[in-house]
């Protein structure tokens, strides 16, 4: 993965961009951009990273990512290797906060929309109760033309804002920092973690990679992510474990080792702390509720 500040290609004859992707490479990098991003995964699954939030994503999920909030979706390997029964199906819109002009979101009737844009800086995951209606509106954004395309986007944003049927993803104190030096450094860290979390990660190795002492790295990572490296690793490992448990292809002990835990006792402890269930309970029937 190459660290990138992405420049979204907007046409001179369009106020915002919308597209339908079947190849997920564009989403499979740690990146940020000035534009907000509304993304619907018609088909696709993997691990979602938004700010300091880590969780699984799957078919049907819809997310709104705020301006300059780092994010990416690590798709399951079958989508990258073209081995899935069906290709990915991703609908994504990019728009600036002022794409309708500087005054529109400041109108008194639009105060909920303005508040939604503010909340999006933490990342917004839509709840199941509005997914179907939001999906139909996103289809209109993709397929309509001219003014009806703009109206459809406003309708889906209004649906989200009025219903408040969503979850904020990144922590409140997560710093949105688009300065290049910090972004490149955090990208190196995130890249290393996501490629190596299944094995033992040594603090000394990752600190050396970023050109810092271990103490400096610990302070830096906590300041930027709001979490210690240990807490972050536990989260990403538990997220991967949930996915494997839901698939039910491996037993619990196999999943424990596959996710980078050194022993079953610690796996059991951290999994229950994170989910409220034991790994076996999750595999036997809890997973389908999420």
């Amino acid at each position: 993965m190459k660290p990138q500040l992405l420049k979204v290609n907007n046409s001179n004859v369009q106020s915002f961009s919308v597209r339908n992707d079947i190849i997920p490479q564009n989403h499979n990098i740690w990146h940020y951009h000035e534009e907000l991003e509304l993304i619907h995964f018609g088909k696709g699954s993997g691990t979602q990273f938004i700010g300091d939030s880590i969780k699984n994503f799957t078919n049907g999920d819809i997310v709104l990512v705020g301006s300059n909030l780092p994010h990416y979706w690590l798709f399951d390997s079958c989508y990258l290797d073209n081995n899935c029964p069906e290709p990915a199906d991703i609908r994504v819109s990019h728009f600036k906060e002022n794409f309708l002009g500087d005054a529109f979101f400041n109108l008194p009737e639009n105060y909920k929309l303005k508040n939604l844009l503010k909340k999006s800086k933490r990342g917004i995951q839509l709840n199941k109760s509005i997914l179907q209606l939001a999906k139909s509106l996103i289809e209109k954004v993709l397929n309509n033309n001219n003014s009806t395309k703009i109206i459809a986007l406003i309708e889906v944003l209004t649906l989200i804002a009025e219903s408040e049927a969503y979850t904020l993803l990144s922590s409140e104190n997560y710093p949105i920092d688009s300065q290049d030096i910090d972004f490149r450094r955090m990208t190196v860290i995130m890249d290393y973690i996501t490629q190596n979390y299944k094995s033992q990660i040594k603090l000394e190795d990752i600190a050396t990679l970023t050109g810092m002492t271990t103490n400096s790295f610990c302070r830096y990572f906590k300041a930027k992510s709001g979490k210690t490296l240990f807490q972050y690793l536990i989260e990403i490992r538990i997220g991967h474990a949930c996915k494997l448990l839901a698939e039910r292809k491996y037993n619990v002990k196999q999943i424990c080792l596959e996710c980078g835990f050194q022993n079953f006792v610690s796996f059991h402890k951290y999994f229950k702390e994170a989910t409220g269930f034991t790994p076996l309970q999750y595999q036997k029937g809890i997973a389908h509720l999420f």
Side-chain angles (χ1 to χ4, degrees):
M1 298 186 292
K2 296 181 179 180
Q4 291 190 42
L5 162 61
L6 290 189
K7 296 293 185 181
V8 177
N9 293 323
N10 283 318
S11 167
N12 290 330
V13 296
Q14 292 180 320
S15 58
F16 67 94
S17 68
V18 57
R19 67 177 193 265
N20 185 192
D21 293 340
I22 59 172
I23 300 175
Q25 274 84 343
N26 287 338
H27 307 281
N28 223 48
I29 54 176
W30 179 240
H31 68 282
Y32 68 100
H33 36 70
E34 178 186 359
E35 294 79 5
L36 288 87
E37 179 172 317
L38 178 65
I39 186 166
H40 168 229
F41 299 96
K43 291 185 177 63
S45 60
T47 305
Q48 168 181 292
F49 300 78
I50 296 179
D52 59 0
S53 168
I54 307 169
K55 60 180 297 184
N56 295 326
F57 72 92
T58 191
N59 297 344
D61 283 355
I62 299 175
V63 178
L64 177 64
V65 181
S67 176
N68 291 323
L69 177 61
H71 58 282
Y72 81 105
W73 286 269
L74 182 62
F75 276 76
D76 291 338
S77 59
C78 69
Y79 288 101
L80 302 177
D81 300 334
N82 296 319
N83 291 327
C84 284
E86 295 180 294
D89 182 10
I90 311 154
R91 291 91 194 281
V92 57
S93 300
H94 291 106
F95 56 95
K96 294 183 179 181
E97 290 187 0
N98 64 346
F99 81 104
L100 289 173
D102 293 327
F104 180 79
F105 288 106
N106 288 318
L107 295 172
E109 295 86 354
N110 291 332
Y111 75 96
K112 286 190 176 181
L113 283 175
K114 185 175 182 179
N115 192 40
L116 178 71
L117 300 189
K118 181 178 178 181
K119 288 183 177 181
S120 73
K121 294 183 183 298
R122 292 178 58 187
I124 289 175
Q125 180 100 34
L126 273 61
N127 295 347
K128 289 183 178 180
S129 61
I130 62 169
L131 283 180
Q132 195 58 40
L133 181 52
K135 173 187 173 182
S136 66
L137 292 172
I138 290 173
E139 286 299 309
K140 291 181 179 179
V141 177
L142 180 65
N143 296 313
N144 285 7
N145 296 307
N146 302 323
S147 298
T148 57
K149 182 182 288 286
I150 297 174
I151 292 169
L153 180 57
I154 294 301
E155 284 182 332
V156 69
L157 293 176
T158 300
L159 169 67
I160 301 169
E162 295 283 349
S163 69
E164 296 186 352
Y166 54 76
T167 302
L168 299 180
L169 296 170
S170 189
S171 60
E172 190 171 0
N173 64 344
Y174 181 78
I176 298 178
D177 188 352
S178 62
Q179 295 189 15
D180 288 344
I181 185 169
D182 271 339
F183 185 79
R184 287 196 299 268
R185 180 176 283 171
M186 282 303 293
T187 301
V188 168
I189 294 169
M190 293 289 291
D191 194 9
Y192 184 84
I193 290 173
T194 54
Q195 291 186 28
N196 295 281
Y197 72 90
K198 295 181 182 180
S199 57
Q200 186 176 7
I201 291 181
K202 294 182 179 180
L203 180 59
E204 295 81 2
D205 292 342
I206 196 167
T208 300
L209 191 67
T210 58
M212 292 185 280
T213 65
T214 54
N215 288 337
S216 296
F217 171 81
C218 289
R219 289 193 298 269
Y220 177 83
F221 190 82
K222 180 69 179 291
K224 291 298 176 184
S225 69
K227 304 174 184 180
T228 66
L229 176 63
F230 179 77
Q231 290 170 327
Y232 195 85
L233 280 172
I234 292 297
E235 285 190 11
I236 192 172
R237 286 168 175 164
I238 293 298
H240 186 55
C242 287
K243 181 183 181 309
L244 294 179
L245 287 165
E247 290 176 350
R248 304 183 185 187
K249 295 179 180 178
Y250 306 100
N251 64 44
V252 174
K253 289 188 177 180
Q254 288 174 317
I255 291 171
C256 167
L257 298 175
E258 171 66 19
C259 294
F261 288 95
Q262 299 302 304
N263 60 75
F264 184 72
V265 174
S266 62
F267 174 51
H268 188 280
K269 172 188 173 184
Y270 292 120
F271 191 92
K272 190 166 186 179
E273 286 179 356
T275 67
F277 305 101
T278 68
L280 191 58
Q281 286 172 332
Y282 193 95
Q283 191 176 49
K284 283 185 173 180
I286 295 299
H288 75 277
L289 299 177
F290 293 88

